[in-house]
Amino acid sequence: MTQTDALSIPLPPDEQALQWLWDVKTPGYVFDPSIVLARYRKLRELLDSRLIVSLKANSNLELLIRCGHGFVDGVELASLGELDLAVGRISSTKYVNNPSMDETFMRAALASRCVFIIDSLGQAERLIAVLGKQPAPQTILRLNAAELMPGRRKEAADHFGMSPQEAMLAAAALSRADVPVIGLHSFVGSHQFRVDERGGDSADLAHALAALAGDIERVAGAPIAMLNCGGGFGERFHEDESVFAAYRERLAPLRQRFQLAHESGRAIFAGAGLFATRVRAVKTLGGQTIAVCDGGLSHNFLLARTESAIKKYAAPRLLRRQPAPEGAAVQPVRFVGSTCSRADVIGWQPDPQAAPAVGDLVIFDQCGAYHPSYSVSGFLSLGAAGAYIHQTGETA
């Protein structure tokens, strides 16, 4: 596997190539740092801009140690815990971004020379109060995407960032305190990156930020050098490069004046992670096989699709210890977890097949982003899933 094509952990037809998975203690995640770095380089190339890594997508320490050197444009940190992981391990710029940032978080970020992404006027005032006589940090103002683009209010609505009017007040307050405002930031949301023929594409956000920059500059008394245009890139971003060509063309006029940046976590980490769980019990119910696994929504909440109106479950790969008996009955298989919640369904294989056996491995791909961190492990005191590193390619 080369660096350019290493964009997801391979699940080859030859089961011999997956034998290493039997050594994984389940339920557990397996991360490949070479794929993280390959996806980072690929997305950065397609965007032709700075690319900031959102560490919330995967904050596994062992993975960060192996990949941190490759995140050349910096990382975005949303908690004091993430900051603690990055300090001493990330030499590039650290951006802190959280609407609830308190004084303790701010003081730690100041000590670590972070760039502050300011979410509100109140947060700007709190930073000024904490700052005292310390050297001022660089700041970036976060704009609410729906307020910035009223015509796209429905799809862009959330509770992050400021209105343009509040951003002007924040810029004025920071300027009076001699805190430099170096850029503007906005983000529409996950899976929202698109380019369409009507012009209502993701570049609209960048152009809206650029249109506001002049007003912010007049209040701040200094040029706005950087636009962070967010991201919203999907897990399989690399499958259609023509979309990025159109996007780069739409951004071309802005490059003459601004340094452009994007941020991503999902696109970088998703394909670099597998989730493995073992079958613990098997039964037939309602014309389908029920495979009860040792891993479920307590270990991989996102697989349960509880936040989706239409539940389209992932179809996992089954690694059998022994071949299915010849002539065995076949039927669809529902993969469920070990809790007492009816929502604990993590996979569905609609194609009829022989029932799994106790001890077989169930493997889900595209689980490297948010799946490890967006799960509540306290239910039934089951504990969190394990995490392992498996290298399939070169990291440098």
Side-chain angles (χ1 to χ4, degrees):
M1 178 180 298
T2 66
Q3 290 182 353
T4 55
D5 64 14
L7 295 177
S8 61
I9 292 183
L11 294 180
D14 181 7
E15 292 189 357
Q16 288 299 117
L18 291 175
Q19 292 305 304
W20 56 271
L21 275 170
W22 290 112
D23 295 327
V24 172
K25 183 179 178 181
T26 58
Y29 290 91
V30 182
F31 305 123
D32 190 328
S34 65
I35 295 171
V36 172
L37 292 170
R39 290 173 73 94
Y40 177 81
R41 288 190 293 265
K42 185 64 176 179
L43 182 55
R44 190 172 186 265
E45 172 192 330
L46 290 173
L47 291 167
D48 190 24
S49 79
R50 286 189 176 188
L51 181 57
I52 299 163
V53 176
S54 181
L55 205 61
K56 68 175 74 68
N58 191 316
S59 54
N60 179 269
L61 177 57
E62 293 299 320
L63 187 62
L64 181 63
I65 289 172
R66 290 165 172 79
C67 297
H69 68 280
F71 302 153
V72 294
D73 297 323
V75 294
E76 184 206 40
L77 309 167
S79 71
L80 186 56
E82 290 180 5
L83 177 58
D84 289 341
L85 288 175
V87 170
R89 299 183 177 96
I90 299 293
S91 58
S92 54
T93 306
K94 291 177 279 293
Y95 299 85
V96 289
N97 182 9
N98 191 314
S100 70
M101 199 183 310
D102 61 9
E103 288 80 358
T104 300
F105 190 178
M106 285 183 174
R107 290 190 180 95
L110 286 168
S112 302
R113 296 180 175 84
C114 296
V115 176
F116 284 71
I117 298 177
I118 302 299
D119 186 79
S120 66
L121 173 59
Q123 191 173 70
E125 293 170 340
R126 183 179 299 120
L127 174 62
I128 293 167
V130 169
L131 186 59
K133 296 183 179 180
Q134 298 182 71
Q138 293 181 324
T139 62
I140 294 172
L141 303 182
R142 180 165 186 173
L143 278 296
N144 180 273
E147 294 289 324
L148 196 60
M149 301 183 298
R152 294 174 61 184
R153 187 173 299 279
K154 183 176 180 180
E155 67 179 279
D158 60 35
H159 58 273
F160 300 105
M162 297 174 271
S163 67
Q165 295 75 20
E166 187 178 2
M168 298 277 284
L169 295 174
L174 292 166
S175 177
R176 289 192 297 270
D178 294 323
V179 178
V181 177
I182 65 166
L184 304 179
H185 171 286
S186 194
F187 181 74
V188 173
S190 299
H191 299 291
Q192 292 298 313
F193 177 73
R194 64 186 177 87
V195 177
D196 60 37
E197 296 177 353
R198 295 167 297 154
D201 59 31
S202 295
D204 289 350
L205 186 62
H207 281 273
L209 285 173
L212 181 64
D215 292 336
I216 299 293
E217 287 173 334
R218 284 189 287 275
V219 173
I224 295 297
M226 175 185 179
L227 301 181
N228 183 332
C229 310
F233 311 109
E235 298 169 356
R236 304 181 187 277
F237 70 90
H238 54 284
E239 293 180 353
D240 187 1
E241 296 189 11
S242 64
V243 171
F244 287 90
Y247 183 61
R248 290 194 302 271
E249 183 177 352
R250 289 267 284 132
L251 294 187
L254 303 181
R255 298 181 188 276
Q256 300 175 18
R257 182 183 172 194
F258 300 103
Q259 183 178 74
L260 301 183
H262 295 81
E263 63 186 50
S264 180
R266 190 183 310 278
I268 293 166
F269 291 108
L274 299 176
F275 178 68
T277 178
R278 276 182 170 82
V279 176
R280 291 303 184 209
V282 181
K283 65 180 180 181
T284 295
L285 190 66
Q288 60 186 253
T289 298
I290 306 296
V292 184
C293 304
D294 61 2
L297 62 75
S298 291
H299 313 96
N300 195 323
F301 179 76
L302 293 179
L303 283 179
R305 302 290 193 263
T306 61
E307 297 180 342
S308 301
I310 300 176
K311 293 179 171 54
K312 185 178 180 180
Y313 295 108
R317 169 76 176 271
L318 184 65
L319 189 60
R320 300 177 185 268
R321 281 199 177 277
Q322 300 292 336
E326 188 173 347
V330 297
Q331 56 188 4
V333 182
R334 185 176 297 269
F335 298 90
V336 304
S338 58
T339 73
C340 53
S341 170
R342 67 172 57 192
D344 199 354
V345 178
I346 58 173
W348 169 245
Q349 184 51 265
D351 298 328
Q353 58 183 269
V358 171
D360 287 352
L361 272 177
V362 184
I363 306 163
F364 295 87
D365 67 354
Q366 298 292 329
C367 287
Y370 295 103
H371 289 259
S373 57
Y374 200 64
S375 300
V376 180
S377 59
F379 189 39
L380 300 185
S381 300
L382 292 174
Y388 307 87
I389 302 295
H390 179 78
Q391 188 91 6
T392 62
E394 298 295 329
T395 60

